[in-house]
């Protein structure tokens, strides 16, 4: 983690002044300390150009040094990791983060965006599933993973390339008959891109494929039914499955285990997202890894960029394949 | 999720005024709309006592309606879930959340606390591993999981009771020879309580136990060595293992698998935390579940409580056992 480019911290002031952190805090908060200490701290604050009280300063300069980050929730490890990296990048640049969760409720998403504007934050980074999301009038908005048109710059991973890579990796692993499984809102276009890339990959390689695509409201049992329908004489009709998320892949592997279908011997499975167990251990499955850290950096850079001409409408960052035990290689 | 007790939202204003959300946003942000719309919105704002611009209001009333939440990081699913529930409870009460990560660096934790005070937030909720953490002078601080003395109220789960419950559940599952494995900073007292409760449970039940306790800097290989040392004639010396976290339990189960020791047939394993795969699916292992939602609610209630006499120094909330595949029952 780089810190060299960031603003000076209270710790830097303490070091420069040769006093304890608590002394610096007291001085900047107006709590009495011995005069020699006060002078040392004030000299260091001046020398380092330490920014005292962003909050009050914000009102004068009309900058608050606060960015609002809006995600569906933090329980989903993909969103939590994304917020982690956005936080880190904002902190490095001396910005604070106001967090907002929306539970994927479109009205809540819209309200969060409008409210953030009202809070006078310097920018908004939003992961919304609301296809009709209106941008705020006065505050820059960066969208993650949803493209709302050229007015709202969007950062996402290369979903299309990832879908194609999944097909290629399954074939490289020896699969000859593929399936694509997807659950998710039909409003979102990103899972569609994963599908389109997958189809393109299969067709390019001349490999047959089957698809099962359902919306968020369909019970998981539909997938069990689909697998049963394609199970004949102790064998599945396909030997490679691409699932639209790691979470779905994890469930599918569980169902296959119950059906006594061996993974990866009988069928190989690839998910999408690159989620790790406990945040930093093994992958749950072989997967197409989203470059979460780079996506976070890109969002922060774009939300703070003053020159609109330097903000592309859509930035797709490259994905990579990672082995996670559900493929041969 | 309750919303009835919360403050009126922009959505409530829109509904009351019979206009679109965007219209309400424009009016409160001073962007021109047709006069009849403006009047409707203003009437609704007044009727519902909608709080316009907490931020600006904060400076007048010296309340900002912002709570600073400080955790080591969001990559760890336990911390992410905790922040999720704290957020939800704050939002229900009309408060915003400033998020801070510290990477468990004691200096960063101290600086985050002092900085939050300087930002004039209404309160701080902090999960810190810094045993010397100084409380801010002007802003209420609630600590999660670390007890710093009566001046800083602390919310935690019943770690002691959880340790004892782990011993009891292993014995109830037929184990007759237990082990306790712990990794973690020797500065933190909570893992010690889990150990103390476990020891108390073993002694109360008259069951022998072994312990392996290492600090954060010890490589995991020490546990592999420990297991090998207790492996004789194709059998482990113990038939039940309590691990101080789910994350450690997950690793231990992996090592046991490599050693061809069957879980739960040959040895049963219980972790601590209650972490679910992908945030909301299966538990990683049989576990002592921390009441994360209740802990979050308690933190928010205590940080907003004005009457210091109503803030107990330490609140320990009850844990429960959950089966997760690494025990018989």
């Amino acid at each position: 983690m780089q810190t060299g480019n960031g603003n000076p911290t209270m710790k830097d002031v303490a070091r420069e002044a040769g006093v304890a952190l608590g002394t610096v805090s007291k001085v900047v908060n107006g709590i009495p300390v011995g005069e020699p200490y006060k002078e040392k701290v004030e000299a260091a604050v001046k020398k380092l150009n330490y920014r005292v009280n962003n909050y009050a300063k914000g009102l004068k300069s009309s900058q608050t040094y606060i960015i609002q980050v809006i995600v569906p929730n933090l329980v989903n490890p993909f969103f939590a990791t994304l917020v982690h990296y956005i936080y880190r990048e904002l902190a490095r640049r001396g910005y604070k983060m106001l967090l907002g969760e929306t539970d994927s409720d479109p009205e809540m998403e819209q309200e969060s965006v409008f409210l953030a504007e009202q809070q006078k934050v310097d920018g908004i980074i939003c992961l919304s599933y609301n296809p009709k999301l209106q941008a705020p009038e006065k505050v820059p908005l960066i969208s993650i993973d949803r493209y709302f048109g050229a007015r709202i710059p969007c950062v996402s991973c290369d979903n299309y390339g990832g879908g194609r890579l999944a097909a290629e990796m399954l074939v490289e692993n020896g699969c000859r008959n593929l399936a694509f499984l997807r659950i998710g809102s039909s409003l979102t276009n990103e899972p569609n891109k994963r599908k389109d890339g997958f189809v393109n990959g299969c067709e390019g390689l001349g490999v047959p494929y089957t698809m099962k695509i359902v919306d968020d409201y369909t019970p998981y049992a539909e997938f069990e039914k689909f697998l049963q329908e394609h199970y004949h004489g102790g064998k599945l009709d396909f030997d490679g499955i691409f699932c639209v998320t790691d979470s779905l892949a994890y469930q599918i592997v569980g169902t296959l285990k119950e059906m006594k279908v061996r993974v990866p011997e009988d069928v190989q499975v690839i998910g999408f997202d690159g989620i790790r167990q406990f945040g930093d251990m093994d992958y749950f499955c072989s997967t197409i890894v989203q470059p979460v850290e780079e996506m976070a950096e890109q969002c922060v850079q774009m939300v703070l960029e003053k020159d609109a001409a330097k903000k592309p409408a859509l930035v797709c960052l490259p994905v990579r394949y990672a082995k996670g035990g559900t493929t041969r290689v």
Side-chain angles (χ1 to χ4, degrees), chain A residues 221-283:
Chain A
E222 275 299 301
F223 286 115
E224 292 172 327
K225 209 175 118 197
F226 172 80
L227 292 175
Q228 290 294 350
E229 283 165 5
H230 289 269
Y231 186 69
H232 303 291
K235 263 193 73 184
L236 269 182
D237 293 343
F238 28 81
D239 53 6
I241 303 177
F242 172 42
C243 297
V244 75
T245 61
D246 289 344
S247 157
L248 180 59
Y250 168 78
Q251 290 175 284
I252 292 294
V253 168
T255 301
L256 292 168
K257 212 171 267 181
E258 281 169 24
M259 291 169 70
K260 312 278 180 215
V261 176
R262 293 171 308 161
V263 177
E265 294 84 350
D266 303 331
V267 61
Q268 300 185 62
V269 179
I270 293 182
F272 201 108
D273 281 342
I275 292 176
R276 290 171 183 272
Q277 315 206 34
F278 294 99
D280 60 0
M281 295 193 189
D282 306 332
Y283 292 109

Side-chain angles (χ1 to χ4, degrees), chain A residues 22-226:
Chain A
T23 309
V24 178
S25 172
K26 281 182 181 154
V27 172
V28 300
N29 280 301
I31 295 164
V33 299
E35 195 58 33
Y37 291 105
K38 195 177 164 198
E39 280 168 17
K40 279 186 200 167
V41 171
E42 285 172 347
V45 163
K46 205 170 165 185
K47 179 168 173 198
L48 299 178
N49 195 21
Y50 174 66
R51 180 188 299 139
V52 180
N53 199 349
N54 288 338
Y55 188 82
K57 187 181 167 192
L59 279 145
K60 273 187 243 159
S61 72
S62 86
Q63 259 199 295
T64 55
Y65 297 95
I66 295 175
I67 298 295
Q68 171 86 47
V69 175
I70 300 170
V71 292
N73 64 68
L74 289 180
V75 171
N76 179 309
F78 179 72
F79 301 142
T81 305
L82 191 61
V83 173
H84 163 74
Y85 284 116
I86 292 174
Y87 174 81
R88 222 176 67 167
E89 188 63 18
L90 286 173
R92 196 174 76 76
R93 295 167 182 245
Y95 279 76
K96 317 242 158 262
M97 179 198 285
L98 263 180
L99 180 71
E101 294 188 14
T102 61
D103 238 348
S104 295
D105 172 25
E107 283 191 334
M108 183 71 100
E109 289 169 341
Q110 187 62 70
E111 177 153 340
S112 299
V113 167
F114 286 153
L115 262 178
E117 178 168 40
Q118 193 186 323
Q119 293 289 118
K120 314 240 183 296
V121 297
D122 289 354
I124 304 171
I125 298 171
C126 177
L127 198 161
S128 163
Y129 292 104
N130 176 1
K132 294 178 185 158
L133 189 76
Q134 291 177 54
E137 306 269 340
K138 299 178 187 168
V139 170
L141 171 69
I142 304 297
S143 165
I144 302 173
D145 255 5
R146 309 295 139 193
Y147 184 65
F148 297 103
R151 236 194 101 212
I152 306 182
C154 173
V155 174
S156 85
C157 78
D158 180 4
N159 284 291
Y160 189 93
R164 189 161 59 191
L165 182 57
E168 287 167 357
M169 289 313 302
L170 286 169
V171 171
E172 200 172 308
N173 271 289
C175 300
R176 292 292 169 262
N177 215 317
L178 306 187
F180 172 67
L181 307 184
R182 172 187 149 190
I183 188 161
S185 163
S186 55
L187 298 173
T188 59
N189 49 13
E190 295 312 308
N192 276 330
K193 283 199 190 170
R194 294 178 193 173
K195 181 200 74 178
D196 294 341
F198 177 78
V199 167
N200 176 280
C202 290
E203 291 177 350
L205 294 159
V207 172
Y209 61 90
T210 318
M211 294 204 277
K212 178 68 181 178
I213 295 178
V214 303
D215 67 23
D216 276 327
Y217 306 102
T218 310
Y220 175 76
E222 275 299 301
F223 286 115
E224 292 172 327
K225 209 175 118 197
F226 172 80

